[in-house]
Amino acid sequence: MPKLVKTKVENEGRVTEEYAWVEEPKTTPWDVEEELRVVGKPIARVDGVERVTGAAKYTTDIQLPRMVHGNYVRSPHPHARIVSIDTSEAEKIAGVRGIIHSKNIANFANVANIRFANHRDFFNDPVRFVGDEVAAVFADSMEIARAAAQKIRIEYELLPFVLDAEAAAQPDAPQLTQNGNLVDGKPSTYARGDVEKGFADAAVIVEGVFTTGAQVHSALETHSSVAEWDGKTMTIYESSQDVVGVQNRVAKLLNLDAARVRVIASYIGGAFGAKFGAGKFTLLGALMSNKLRRPVRFVLDRKGEQIAAGQRSATKQYLKLGAKKDGTLTAIQLTNYNNVGAYASWNPYTEGPARELYACENVQTTSYGVFTNTPPFAAFRAPGFVEGIFALEALMDELAAKLKMDPLALRMKNYSSVFPENGRGYTSNGLLDAYQEGARAIGWEEKKNGKRETRNEKRETRNGIRRGIGMASQIWYGAGAPPSFAIVKISTDASATILTATQDLGTGTKTILCQIAAEELGFPIERIDVEIADTQAGPFAGASGGSMTASSIGPAVREAAADARQQLTQIAATILKKRAKEIRIENGIVKTRDSEKSVAEILKEIDNMQILGHGSRNPNPSEYEIRTFGAQFVEVAVDVETGEVRVERVVASHDSGRILNPLTVSSQIEGGVLQSMGFALMEQRVLDANGASLNANLEGYHIPTIADTPKIETHMIDRADPLANNLGVKGVGEPPIIPTAGAIANAIYDAIGVRFYDAPITRDKVLDALERMERGD
């Protein structure tokens, strides 16, 4: 019988407790060296045709009869109390169906029943940033909704505001919340050993102050939902990473049973961490649909998306490292300020790399998550770690230079075979392999060390271009966790369907789940279908994020497929008059020592009997730590006349356990590298003196395009981790974004001899640095 236990789930620096069923597993991990038939093969996406032909329906494609459209009215002020709201002129416009704001929302719902975890209400009063939602207008067309929004008259009482995180952390700063400006009311602190003694023992000490800018998610499909109430069921079409979370929140708002709320997220046009749970726009749309008995479409425009849907926090990091003459780290000390903007429910784990990556006995970190009157924080692909690695790996290179050591050798010197915080072993650790494979692939020894001897201190310029090479390390989570459940249904035509409520964010989840089921069932992959991201179609699965999807729902799908195969084997044994252990199923054929019959032929014998296999995700091993590891090596070309930095080549070597599909993995690697390139070189949100965004679009806010794309080589350490789960897999969604920016910064230093402490490293900063270097400043 299954046993209900409480298990700890750790991800992104946060530890939560979840209940999970523990039952006798139906599968054992595949052998580390086992050659599998379907898993591990570069199979094209099962929904690829729909995606490239336009047949795939995203939330923004949903058009229903009699649809009403929602539009926000946003604050023009960074911090202000709302004195009055006059909607009388707007309500006179033909086609306006309703206006909701802080003064009347209680007429629509029991707002006390809904609280947002990030200090956010449906409509906050006072407003806390330029772009904060003040009212929502619903009308027969978006044009009417926008025209009505212009007619709403709002009187504000302006309040003092603060934009800088370090300034906001001071006692005399304007206060955004009743509990002050710090997330959780205090900084997050950590210490092991004696950091002061560590610095006293150091032969060499390096320190620096690093800043990183806010990075906006910029998903091509903005936050969007369509709500339709038919009098019995509320159907929500949502671009979401968490359909069950949306279902639960909408059900609570409308006082409905969860079974009467259906959430569908068939295709998602980018999320990157910003689309967890039900957004305010979703809940407001559901409220209005419930009132009007008409479908309501609420899609953020591009400006609203860039301003209010979330961002990677800007940071300021005071980092200090100490080491012995042989390179052994003796102390790491970090104080960082995360600018979480107007709203946040947690403080990004920027100190994670300093605490976890290297073997160092003496570590001290203090992390401030600070509210400011700027756009709000939302999780963004490895939140905190991208920023933390940028600083840590730059200073590691600076330390290597002072020690006259190879930067790679310094990192290998401080490699930790156990988790530095508690001494526990890892289920697997491929970091040294990633170092060696990446260095080999890029020719590190020759390019970094051999050529440096010939050019010595004078860096060579050819046609105005100087070239350099750099690298950086990566550590991240990716263990996956319970609870997640799956059903595998085998029909009498010998096809199988996977049912689960997980999501595919565009990462290829549907494809790898089909591969897992095909492998375990012994079916051709063409005979496997998958229905996901629909709360009525499949059982519970966790949210998709934190590099946890494949390693959470994948093991449950394998368990369900094994259960279905066992039932099919028993049926075949009965029909063929054989013992079950004599039966094997290969590529849709039931084989015994002396006969072969297709699965379809076997199932014809049982008429309409259907096979339903059930599977769940068991807890992670408590005696080990599960992490992903990696390293990236980068070559850049710097134009000393224009300041342009071109990334020419990236070698990405990562350990994420068993590779389920090399094609989907390489897509993840390439996407992560490009997003980190944007963070390193070009993505710069510009605010004016009042905190208003001046480039809330995709023209002024530059993200990498195909013209910026370098040669990206994926070198995975394809080694299963059987202690982690029954697939031996770890997450791969976030690892590739973590080291790229740090590696780029180190390569720029190698090219021009200037260390940059501020990201993004834009052309003007490069030119200014070169000019100062020429002057001898």
Side-chain angles (χ1 to χ4, degrees):
M1 286 290 293
K3 180 182 178 183
L4 186 65
V5 300
K6 185 174 281 189
T7 180
K8 288 186 177 180
V9 176
E10 183 178 10
N11 201 42
E12 300 180 354
R14 295 171 292 164
V15 178
T16 59
E17 289 189 333
E18 301 281 354
Y19 281 102
W21 289 110
V22 178
E23 55 184 329
E24 190 66 30
K26 307 173 188 73
T27 61
T28 57
W30 290 308
D31 290 341
V32 173
E33 303 297 332
E34 185 174 351
E35 179 68 21
L36 302 177
R37 181 178 56 88
V38 186
V39 167
K41 301 301 185 288
I43 292 172
R45 300 195 183 210
V46 296
D47 58 355
V49 172
E50 290 86 347
R51 290 180 181 274
V52 300
T53 60
K57 278 197 174 296
Y58 294 80
T59 299
T60 48
D61 293 322
I62 302 297
Q63 297 291 335
L64 300 174
R66 301 177 64 245
M67 185 174 278
V68 172
H69 299 260
N71 184 51
Y72 275 129
V73 177
R74 298 186 180 277
S75 168
H77 304 295
H79 200 198
R81 188 170 290 109
I82 299 173
V83 177
S84 63
I85 300 177
D86 182 358
T87 62
S88 57
E89 291 300 314
E91 290 168 352
K92 293 176 184 177
I93 298 175
V96 172
R97 300 299 170 184
I99 301 174
I100 307 178
H101 49 79
S102 60
K103 310 296 186 185
N104 72 355
I105 190 169
N107 299 333
F108 291 84
N110 178 14
V111 292
N113 201 34
I114 293 290
R115 296 295 297 175
F116 295 90
N118 56 359
H119 295 270
R120 205 167 188 175
D121 296 325
F122 277 103
F123 301 102
N124 278 82
D125 186 4
V127 294
R128 295 189 194 171
F129 71 100
V130 176
D132 211 346
E133 298 88 355
V134 177
V137 180
F138 296 89
D140 290 346
S141 71
M142 182 56 74
E143 291 73 21
I144 296 173
R146 287 173 178 159
Q150 296 295 318
K151 295 292 186 180
I152 296 176
R153 298 292 172 254
I154 305 167
E155 182 182 353
Y156 297 94
E157 175 192 345
L158 301 188
L159 300 173
F161 64 92
V162 58
L163 307 180
D164 178 77
E166 195 169 9
Q170 304 309 311
D172 59 348
Q175 300 296 292
L176 274 73
T177 80
Q178 292 181 346
N179 297 321
N181 290 345
L182 298 185
V183 176
D184 297 326
K186 60 183 179 179
S188 172
T189 60
Y190 169 81
R192 65 174 181 262
D194 184 339
V195 74
E196 295 303 326
K197 182 178 183 302
F199 285 120
D201 293 342
V204 175
I205 294 174
V206 293
E207 55 189 316
V209 181
F210 295 84
T211 61
T212 63
Q215 184 181 26
V216 183
H217 299 71
S218 305
L220 291 184
E221 183 186 34
T222 65
H223 282 64
S224 53
S225 73
V226 175
E228 183 180 26
W229 172 247
D230 64 6
K232 180 180 179 182
T233 300
M234 177 64 75
T235 301
I236 306 285
Y237 302 89
E238 174 92 0
S239 183
S240 175
Q241 298 176 238
D242 182 14
V243 293
V244 176
V246 174
Q247 178 190 41
N248 290 338
R249 183 57 68 89
V250 171
K252 185 175 182 181
L253 173 72
L254 299 178
N255 197 27
L256 294 172
D257 292 339
R260 295 179 62 192
V261 178
R262 181 185 185 187
V263 181
I264 303 168
S266 300
Y267 292 90
I268 301 165
F272 316 120
K275 293 180 177 178
F276 283 106
K280 294 195 294 185
F281 59 94
T282 303
L283 300 178
L284 291 168
L287 279 176
M288 192 55 68
S289 179
N290 182 260
K291 178 178 185 291
L292 299 175
R293 298 291 181 96
R294 292 174 61 176
V296 174
R297 183 177 191 263
F298 210 136
V299 177
L300 298 193
D301 60 17
R302 176 53 58 185
K303 184 175 182 180
E305 180 76 11
Q306 299 298 105
I307 291 175
Q311 62 179 17
R312 183 187 300 281
S313 291
T315 72
K316 189 170 187 179
Q317 303 174 56
Y318 295 85
L319 182 62
K320 184 178 179 181
L321 306 179
K324 297 178 181 179
K325 288 182 180 180
D326 67 355
T328 301
L329 286 170
T330 60
I332 301 174
Q333 187 176 51
L334 171 68
T335 298
N336 69 275
Y337 295 86
N338 297 318
N339 189 335
V340 298
Y343 305 103
S345 57
W346 53 283
N347 183 18
Y349 193 35
T350 306
E351 68 272 30
R355 289 172 53 170
E356 297 187 6
L357 181 54
Y358 293 117
C360 182
E361 293 181 357
N362 307 298
V363 177
Q364 182 185 77
T365 64
T366 304
S367 178
Y368 294 86
V370 190
F371 294 115
T372 65
N373 297 110
T374 62
F377 162 77
F380 189 153
R381 208 170 182 177
F385 273 58
V386 176
E387 306 92 299
I389 282 289
F390 175 80
L392 178 62
E393 291 296 85
L395 211 56
M396 284 291 285
D397 260 36
E398 199 165 316
L399 179 62
K402 282 205 170 187
L403 291 166
K404 294 183 169 47
M405 283 185 72
D406 179 294
L408 176 58
L410 177 63
R411 289 165 172 84
M412 295 178 76
K413 174 75 175 176
N414 291 284
Y415 163 82
S416 182
S417 61
V418 298
F419 188 55
E421 290 191 10
N422 57 28
R424 283 190 192 137
Y426 294 107
T427 54
S428 65
N429 183 341
L431 183 56
L432 288 179
D433 301 287
Y435 283 151
Q436 293 163 358
E437 175 59 22
R440 180 203 63 77
I442 206 163
W444 177 265
E445 184 63 32
E446 176 190 359
K447 292 177 179 176
K448 180 67 177 177
N449 298 324
K451 291 187 177 180
R452 175 65 72 228
E453 292 177 5
T454 62
R455 65 189 185 186
N456 202 8
E457 292 303 316
K458 185 173 177 60
R459 288 165 169 82
E460 190 174 281
T461 304
R462 292 184 180 179
N463 300 319
I465 302 296
R466 294 182 191 171
R467 286 185 162 80
I469 186 172
M471 60 86 56
S473 311
Q474 170 260 314
I475 187 171
W476 182 246
Y477 304 92
S484 278
F485 303 89
I487 295 171
V488 170
K489 176 176 67 175
I490 301 178
S491 300
T492 52
D493 64 355
S495 65
T497 303
I498 303 162
L499 303 171
T500 181
T502 193
Q503 300 77 202
D504 189 332
L505 308 183
T507 57
T509 299
K510 294 176 185 176
T511 305
I512 62 171
L513 295 186
C514 287
Q515 289 179 261
I516 293 165
E519 186 73 50
E520 188 62 35
L521 289 170
F523 281 23
I525 193 169
E526 297 79 15
R527 302 295 292 162
I528 309 292
D529 195 9
V530 57
E531 294 183 15
I532 65 172
D534 183 340
T535 55
Q536 276 193 4
F540 173 87
S544 294
S547 305
M548 294 181 67
T549 305
S551 50
S552 293
I553 191 58
V557 168
R558 187 181 174 206
E559 286 285 295
D563 187 19
R565 177 177 49 79
Q566 289 173 10
Q567 295 176 51
L568 176 59
T569 298
Q570 190 59 53
I571 291 169
T574 301
I575 291 172
L576 297 175
K577 296 180 171 56
K578 300 285 185 180
R579 290 178 298 176
K581 65 180 182 179
E582 298 179 68
I583 303 290
R584 66 185 190 277
I585 304 169
E586 298 176 1
N587 206 31
I589 305 297
V590 178
K591 297 181 178 181
T592 66
R593 189 175 60 179
D594 53 9
S595 69
E596 291 188 2
K597 233 178 185 183
S598 72
V599 171
E601 290 177 291
I602 294 292
L603 293 178
K604 280 182 183 177
E605 302 286 337
I606 60 172
D607 296 323
N608 292 322
M609 183 176 173
Q610 193 172 65
I611 296 172
L612 294 176
H614 296 80
S616 62
R617 172 59 153 85
N618 274 343
N620 293 327
S622 59
E623 65 271 30
Y624 296 101
E625 297 288 340
I626 305 176
R627 293 294 189 274
T628 59
F629 299 92
Q632 289 184 11
F633 297 78
V634 171
E635 292 180 302
V636 303
V638 182
D639 189 321
V640 296
E641 296 177 357
T642 67
E644 180 186 17
V645 177
R646 287 203 64 84
V647 180
E648 296 188 320
R649 184 184 179 198
V650 178
V651 171
S653 184
H654 292 271
D655 161 36
S656 287
R658 183 187 296 279
I659 303 307
L660 300 177
N661 185 324
L663 283 179
T664 59
V665 165
S666 63
S667 294
Q668 287 291 316
I669 298 295
E670 290 158 12
V673 165
L674 288 173
Q675 280 188 316
S676 197
M677 271 182 54
F679 173 83
L681 298 175
M682 63 188 72
E683 293 190 45
Q684 188 170 30
R685 187 196 64 189
V686 181
L687 302 180
D688 69 12
N690 290 318
S693 178
L694 301 179
N695 60 339
N697 51 57
L698 294 181
E699 179 183 15
Y701 183 85
H702 298 154
I703 62 175
T705 69
I706 194 66
D708 304 300
T709 302
K711 180 181 182 183
I712 303 172
E713 302 172 24
T714 300
H715 294 259
M716 298 302 295
I717 309 304
D718 187 2
R719 186 184 304 120
D721 184 345
L723 295 177
N725 51 65
N726 64 10
L727 301 176
V729 68
K730 298 185 286 189
V732 76
E734 281 149 303
I737 197 176
I738 293 171
T740 317
I744 289 171
N746 289 335
I748 293 172
Y749 175 80
D750 185 59
I752 65 175
V754 177
R755 171 70 59 199
F756 288 92
Y757 297 85
D758 180 28
I761 306 169
T762 52
R763 292 188 184 198
D764 59 310
K765 294 175 186 176
V766 173
L767 289 174
D768 182 62
L770 288 170
E771 184 179 334
R772 284 187 281 106
M773 187 169 65
E774 287 293 323
R775 294 197 308 262
D777 294 354

